[in-house]
Amino acid sequence: MHDVAVELYVDGAWTDLVTDAEASAGVLAGQPITITRGDGDESAAPRPQAITLQLDNTTDRYRTSNPESPLYGRAGRNTPVRVSVGGVVRGTAEA
């Protein structure tokens, strides 16, 4: 099993959602994490990098408009997110 970190950049620091002690045991929902790299061989033009993952938000913890969420008023559109495997950053994007 790989050591996976999914982090949001909030209040000037990277916050790991996977190891969050208050989160439910299944932070990452059923689908695998997919990272699409920015530059491709098909074209010289740069393309944006993308990260696809699904959080288990049954407790409404990660909804930024929820006043009881730790992200309320701290995260929103274009919040930086990154995925690391074994301590190596594999992808960075904006949520």
Side-chain angles (χ1 to χ4, degrees):
M1 185 85 178
H2 297 288
D3 181 25
V4 176
V6 177
E7 302 169 295
L8 288 177
Y9 192 73
V10 179
D11 291 339
W14 289 102
T15 303
D16 189 357
L17 301 178
V18 176
T19 60
D20 185 350
E22 295 177 13
S24 64
V27 171
L28 298 174
Q31 78 181 43
I33 297 172
T34 304
I35 299 171
T36 305
R37 304 247 182 236
D39 295 326
D41 296 334
E42 308 86 32
S43 170
R47 98 186 148 191
Q49 185 166 200
I51 298 172
T52 304
L53 62 94
Q54 184 177 10
L55 292 175
D56 178 358
N57 196 26
T58 54
T59 62
D60 212 22
R61 176 176 180 76
Y62 302 113
R63 184 169 55 93
T64 57
S65 59
N66 174 7
E68 295 181 9
S69 168
L71 300 177
Y72 181 74
R74 299 171 53 205
R77 287 184 163 214
N78 303 322
T79 298
V81 61
R82 71 181 180 187
V83 174
S84 302
V85 179
V88 177
V89 176
R90 299 294 184 173
T92 305
E94 292 177 346

